[in-house]
Amino acid sequence: MTTESAPAAGDPRRLLADMRTLAHRVRLDQRMTWSALLVLAAATLVAIPFDWFGMKLDCAPDGSCAYARRGMLYYWPWAMLLAYAAIAFLHVRAARARGLGSRVWPYAITGAVTTVVFPGAWVALAVYFSNHPYPEGPLPYWWYVLDRLVMPWGMIGVTLLVLAWLERNVALLLFTVGYLVLVLLVLPMSDGTRLVHWGGLRAQMAVPQLIVGVVLLLGALGFRRRQR
Amino acid sequence: MTAVTPTESSDAAHPVNGLDEVVHQRVRLGILTITHEARRVEFGYLRTQLELTAGNLSKHLSVLEEAGLIEIEKGYEGKRGRTWITLTAAGNTALIEEIGRLKQLIARVETADPTEDR
């Protein structure tokens, strides 16, 4: 970039192109995608023992079990708040060290707001089913998708879409779409996998969470490598 | 035969006439663009990105500050002095208007009759 004044009727196309290039460079320098994914991976992996030991399980002699994932209910709201506070802190600190302001606040605030979605849905369902009978027969598929969406792992994906938009980060958008497909359509996040034949229901619930944690961790490593 | 001269109103409507001399300068436009994107930017970052000397950058920053388009905040982080620049509301408006005028100019050039200048 030169210091001479642009002539009044200079090359506006080139000026606009220069402006776009500078804006893009700033966006790249503000990115801290990997740290957000790393914190979320840590929160997801730490949740597993809370879910395992906090699960209330009542099994009948015929083998059928009723369960309540109390550990998740107590763990996730605080974990989400702490995670998004940590992400905001790390982003602001890194941006400041690079001599820039940060764009992370809308993401962190959205994340903190989604904290109430899971306990809110849990309470709403508990209140509803205290007055209504459980539906007969298998639930429709959309019910499972909606259930997985309001769970913390679904909300993590929805909030990552906000980060992808703020960072104008196409790679993160693609990663998030893949992640959402995994947690909403592939992994049985709410009822556990029947493919695990050891450890009972607790292990069946833990395995999908472990997969999500590892995916987020691999994402963090991938974005870290890409940023270098 | 009479010579056709542009009317006063059509001349005034030309986007070139609306260009702000303070903003319509390559470096100052770069400063405003970076500051707009970054929300807040440090002097050193601007100097590196715009490939300027400290003195040269300071002169451009003074022009923008005097025009009320940016705010300059000086402080310390440990023993190291740091200067942070933020865009004012006027600076934000000036940048948006400049981009609008540049786009108008491009559109005008692209739609102009090629025989007009002959």
Side-chain angles (χ1 to χ4, degrees):
Chain A
M1 184 159 273
T2 55
T3 56
E4 73 269 17
S5 180
D11 188 347
R13 207 173 278 114
R14 193 178 156 197
L15 273 179
L16 280 176
D18 284 350
M19 289 167 77
R20 272 191 216 105
T21 305
L22 286 172
H24 182 64
R25 258 191 248 161
V26 171
R27 295 264 179 179
L28 287 180
D29 287 340
Q30 282 178 319
R31 280 182 192 173
M32 275 288 281
T33 317
W34 70 271
S35 70
L37 293 175
L38 186 66
V39 170
L40 295 169
T44 303
L45 295 173
V46 172
I48 296 172
F50 279 87
D51 190 32
W52 186 291
F53 295 109
M55 192 184 295
K56 196 178 166 217
L57 202 56
D58 290 320
C59 291
D62 65 355
S64 63
C65 291
Y67 63 90
R69 300 173 82 174
R70 296 274 166 80
M72 269 186 63
L73 191 65
Y74 295 130
Y75 169 80
W76 272 107
W78 296 108
M80 287 279 233
L81 283 176
L82 279 174
Y84 287 110
I87 290 168
F89 173 76
L90 291 170
H91 268 72
V92 169
R93 202 180 66 159
R96 200 179 165 81
R98 290 172 192 159
L100 293 167
S102 175
R103 286 183 172 272
V104 77
W105 290 109
Y107 168 67
I109 291 166
T110 308
V113 169
T114 62
T115 298
V116 299
V117 172
F118 172 59
W122 193 87
V123 169
L125 278 179
V127 169
Y128 179 82
F129 285 123
S130 66
N131 300 322
H132 297 79
Y134 276 92
E136 295 282 331
L139 292 165
Y141 186 68
W142 64 263
W143 172 269
Y144 287 100
V145 175
L146 187 67
D147 189 31
R148 291 168 190 171
L149 180 68
V150 299
M151 290 187 115
W153 312 287
M155 283 296 116
I156 283 173
V158 171
T159 318
L160 279 176
L161 290 175
V162 176
L163 186 63
W165 172 71
L166 286 170
E167 291 188 345
R168 307 289 191 271
N169 193 336
V170 178
L172 179 60
L173 177 67
L174 294 174
F175 173 84
T176 306
V177 169
Y179 170 86
L180 279 171
V181 168
L182 186 74
V183 297
L184 298 182
L185 305 176
V186 179
L187 292 175
M189 300 306 300
S190 46
D191 51 349
T193 175
R194 302 287 174 265
L195 298 174
V196 175
H197 302 293
W198 49 268
L201 191 62
R202 286 189 170 90
Q204 290 173 358
M205 296 287 193
V207 169
Q209 294 179 70
L210 186 65
I211 294 171
V212 170
V214 169
V215 166
L216 288 170
L217 195 60
L218 290 174
L221 293 173
F223 279 99
R224 170 79 176 141
R225 201 169 205 182
R226 199 165 174 259
Q227 199 172 303
R228 275 183 178 173
Chain B
M1 199 173 180
T2 54
V4 179
T5 55
T7 61
E8 202 174 35
S9 60
S10 70
D11 197 30
H14 196 286
V16 168
N17 291 346
L19 289 169
D20 182 343
E21 283 300 311
V22 175
V23 180
H24 191 69
Q25 200 277 350
R26 203 171 283 276
V27 172
R28 292 199 281 270
L29 207 46
I31 293 169
L32 293 177
T33 303
I34 290 174
T35 313
H36 177 263
E37 281 303 310
R39 303 282 189 265
R40 193 165 180 259
V41 65
E42 212 261 324
F43 185 90
Y45 185 86
L46 278 177
R47 205 178 58 177
T48 309
Q49 292 299 321
L50 299 172
E51 296 171 8
L52 297 172
T53 62
N56 206 341
L57 177 58
S58 291
K59 277 182 205 162
H60 286 293
L61 290 176
S62 298
V63 172
L64 291 170
E65 191 184 25
E66 276 169 27
L69 304 182
I70 58 164
E71 277 175 1
I72 299 175
E73 183 194 333
K74 292 187 179 184
Y76 284 91
E77 270 183 24
K79 287 181 181 175
R80 194 176 159 207
R82 294 192 97 179
T83 303
W84 290 90
I85 295 101
T86 46
L87 206 60
T88 61
N92 196 44
T93 308
L95 181 66
I96 291 166
E97 284 176 0
E98 174 71 8
I99 292 169
R101 278 188 220 104
L102 288 173
K103 284 180 179 169
Q104 276 178 24
L105 213 52
I106 292 169
R108 194 153 176 141
V109 168
E110 282 174 350
T111 55
D113 181 357
T115 58
E116 215 171 65
D117 296 334
R118 283 179 192 168

